[in-house]
Amino acid sequence: MKDMKKIGILTIMLALLTLGCEDYLDKAPYDIITDDIVITTADDAETVLLGAYSALQSADAYGNQIVGTTGTLSDELVHTGSFPTVAEFDNNAVLSNNVTLQNLWAAFYAGIYRTNVIIERIETIKDIDSNTKNRILGESKFLRALMHFDLVKLFGGIPYALTPDLTTLRTIDRTAVDVVYTNIITELNESVTLLAGVDQGNNKRANQWVAKAMLARVLLYSGNKSQAGVVANDVIENSPYSLEANYADVFKGNSDEVLFEVFFSVQDQNSMAFWFRVDGRYEYGPSPQIQAAFEPGDERAVMVAPVGDGRFQVAKYTDRATGTDQTVVLRLAEMYLIRAEANIGSAQADDDVNTIRNRAGLTNISGVTLDDILQERFVELCFEGHRWTDLTRTGKADEVMSVINPLTWQSTDVLMPIPQREIQQNPTLVGKQNPGY
């Protein structure tokens, strides 16, 4: 994956990564987006849209950090490499000048910027049919919502960027968390409507069910468990997706269970396996806590593999040679666990958890609690970027991480610091750093 030029959000990253030439992604995105770009045709809008998808491919997004770096914040991964910036995450002692953190922030705002270009300028296209316009808008709103969500769950209140105007973006203020979630939910509902009936022919681009699944997740995080359960139920009962009979088949690409995964190919590689494997860099390793979390007979335990000398590696990402592991963003198993969390105390919650457990070769449990569901999420969704924010959103981070890092953990560590570079470049953010930094 090519490095992206980093010049700060809100001094936006403008260089693009390319997606490749597969039939379903057959247009090359613009290499550069500037403040005065002109979108005059549907093809122009499509190439900018692919640029927005390509932001997810970055090693600073779903090509590494959303899984690896955030995993080291939690009890899921440990730092087994040598990067001092990653060691800060592992110790829950992240500094505001951490370059790895800055790059994550910049990668997502780069993608947000591209969606803003499309959403604003598609209105100027004269010869575009309504179906194409709705699809491009629906995908853009989904991506903008996803990327704002990935930021708010790590940083709390963030600048909610709805314009491609660089002058405005350089002075945009933080938006309160509840308002950010309200905006994201609005955008996802709009995306669902705009993408109704769209069949992309692959799980690398958004459709209405992808937007609904994301909506279920966001509703859960925002505290609206009841409505999250309703939306998750809709996805389970009415979408064309189905659980794989075998857990390992979920990660072989184009799974019937995966609603949305980030596209990687030989031409557009990631380094996931390189970062996780001992025959690569081995920057991240499975923690003792995740190793101990699997019950005897749990088929998911194969995702933690012994490699000799008392070491273990993550086995969910295997293609070190060509970097074509697809990073899963949304899959049906998560919808079962969201529906269970929304219905704790009911037979439905027991049934949903046991559906996931049975697939993994485990027996039923009854009287499911939140702790049971978090345990199931820990092992079912391991190494997919969920654990840290499962701890923070449920108020469990203090309890868990104070034991793992007793010398460095502070309760304020549940939020990452706003990168110092952003504060230096945006005067509106001065004095508005998160507590503890």
Side-chain angles (χ1 to χ4, degrees):
M1 186 63 64
K2 302 173 185 176
D3 289 337
M4 295 197 296
K5 182 180 179 183
K6 302 172 179 74
I7 55 179
I9 163 170
L10 300 177
T11 52
I12 307 286
M13 288 176 65
L14 303 178
L16 290 180
L17 307 172
T18 55
L19 274 175
C21 300
E22 274 68 3
D23 289 343
Y24 50 84
L25 294 170
D26 60 357
K27 300 178 187 297
Y30 284 117
D31 290 328
I32 296 292
I33 295 177
T34 66
D35 203 24
D36 60 355
I37 193 168
V38 177
I39 296 180
T40 59
T41 69
D43 281 353
D44 292 341
E46 188 73 26
T47 57
V48 179
L49 175 60
L50 295 188
Y53 276 105
S54 76
L56 302 181
Q57 291 180 310
S58 169
D60 298 313
Y62 286 90
N64 174 0
Q65 283 212 53
I66 282 296
V67 175
T69 306
T70 66
T72 60
L73 284 169
S74 74
D75 58 344
E76 180 181 58
L77 294 171
V78 292
H79 183 216
T80 47
S82 59
F83 283 142
T85 55
V86 178
E88 289 181 14
F89 286 84
D90 194 27
N91 293 325
N92 297 118
V94 181
L95 301 177
S96 63
N97 64 354
N98 185 295
V99 174
T100 298
L101 186 71
Q102 165 66 41
N103 292 349
L104 181 151
W105 174 284
F108 283 115
Y109 275 113
I112 290 167
Y113 176 78
R114 296 162 200 168
T115 64
N116 290 341
V117 169
I118 299 164
I119 292 167
E120 178 181 277
R121 297 175 191 174
I122 199 170
E123 299 300 332
T124 66
I125 300 176
K126 295 179 180 179
D127 299 318
I128 184 171
D129 66 85
S130 60
N131 289 337
T132 300
K133 179 179 179 181
N134 286 345
R135 176 184 58 77
I136 292 174
L137 278 173
E139 290 182 80
S140 299
K141 285 179 178 288
F142 164 77
L143 289 170
R144 186 162 72 177
L146 169 64
M147 289 184 277
H148 276 117
F149 173 72
D150 282 325
L151 290 164
V152 72
K153 68 184 183 180
L154 292 174
F155 296 96
I158 53 167
Y160 202 92
L162 295 173
T163 175
D165 180 71
L166 294 178
T167 300
T168 301
L169 292 172
R170 291 187 184 105
T171 58
I172 193 170
D173 203 351
R174 296 182 72 173
T175 302
V177 170
D178 59 338
V179 178
V180 172
Y181 275 109
T182 297
N183 290 345
I184 292 171
I185 290 166
T186 297
E187 293 222 270
L188 288 172
N189 277 312
E190 291 172 352
S191 181
V192 168
T193 299
L194 290 163
L195 293 173
V198 170
D199 181 1
Q200 303 280 20
N202 64 84
N203 60 5
K204 312 300 189 295
R205 296 181 66 161
N207 60 36
Q208 66 173 325
W209 296 109
V210 173
K212 283 186 179 182
M214 190 67 212
L215 178 60
R217 182 190 292 177
V218 172
L219 286 165
L220 182 73
Y221 274 67
S222 70
N224 192 343
K225 287 188 177 183
S226 176
Q227 190 60 28
V230 170
V231 178
N233 179 73
D234 186 16
V235 177
I236 294 166
E237 299 298 333
N238 299 313
S239 79
Y241 303 92
S242 58
L243 292 177
E244 293 282 0
N246 299 308
Y247 177 76
D249 290 341
V250 175
F251 309 101
K252 294 181 177 178
N254 296 311
S255 165
D256 291 337
E257 180 172 327
V258 175
L259 285 86
F260 180 60
E261 60 190 13
V262 178
F263 168 69
F264 293 100
S265 69
V266 174
Q267 291 75 33
D268 291 286
Q269 301 179 12
N270 66 41
S271 299
M272 294 294 283
F274 172 76
W275 291 106
F276 283 103
R277 292 177 60 86
V278 295
D279 57 352
R281 183 171 178 84
Y282 194 44
E283 194 70 23
Y284 313 105
S287 69
Q289 289 76 27
I290 189 64
Q291 292 175 43
F294 297 99
E295 299 172 46
D298 192 333
E299 296 173 9
R300 298 166 296 194
V302 298
M303 294 303 167
V304 174
V307 291
D309 301 324
R311 296 184 299 170
F312 293 81
Q313 71 181 11
V314 171
K316 189 162 278 188
Y317 306 97
T318 60
D319 186 7
R320 188 182 66 81
T322 61
T324 61
D325 290 307
Q326 310 296 291
T327 305
V328 173
V329 180
L330 292 159
R331 61 185 177 95
L332 199 63
E334 183 191 355
M335 298 299 106
Y336 279 86
L337 294 171
I338 289 175
R339 188 169 69 176
E341 193 168 338
N343 292 284
I344 289 174
S346 71
Q348 180 72 73
D350 290 359
D351 288 346
D352 285 339
V353 169
N354 288 327
T355 294
I356 302 303
R357 287 175 58 83
N358 293 165
R359 198 253 303 261
L362 300 178
T363 57
N364 288 351
I365 60 175
S366 60
V368 163
T369 65
L370 176 60
D371 284 343
D372 292 327
I373 293 169
L374 290 176
Q375 162 65 16
E376 205 59 36
R377 288 178 64 94
F378 194 18
V379 292
E380 173 67 27
L381 305 175
C382 64
F383 317 126
E384 295 176 41
H386 294 272
R387 180 59 173 176
W388 170 244
T389 44
D390 273 347
L391 293 178
T392 58
R393 71 177 177 83
T394 59
K396 300 284 186 179
D398 250 334
E399 172 189 336
V400 172
M401 300 313 300
S402 62
V403 174
I404 293 173
N405 285 325
L407 299 180
T408 55
W409 174 259
Q410 303 177 78
S411 60
T412 52
D413 292 335
V414 294
L415 292 179
M416 294 294 95
I418 301 300
Q420 186 60 36
R421 183 175 178 179
E422 301 303 326
I423 295 174
Q424 291 169 344
Q425 295 182 345
N426 180 352
T428 309
L429 298 179
V430 173
K432 297 178 181 178
Q433 179 59 276
N434 282 329
Y437 299 101

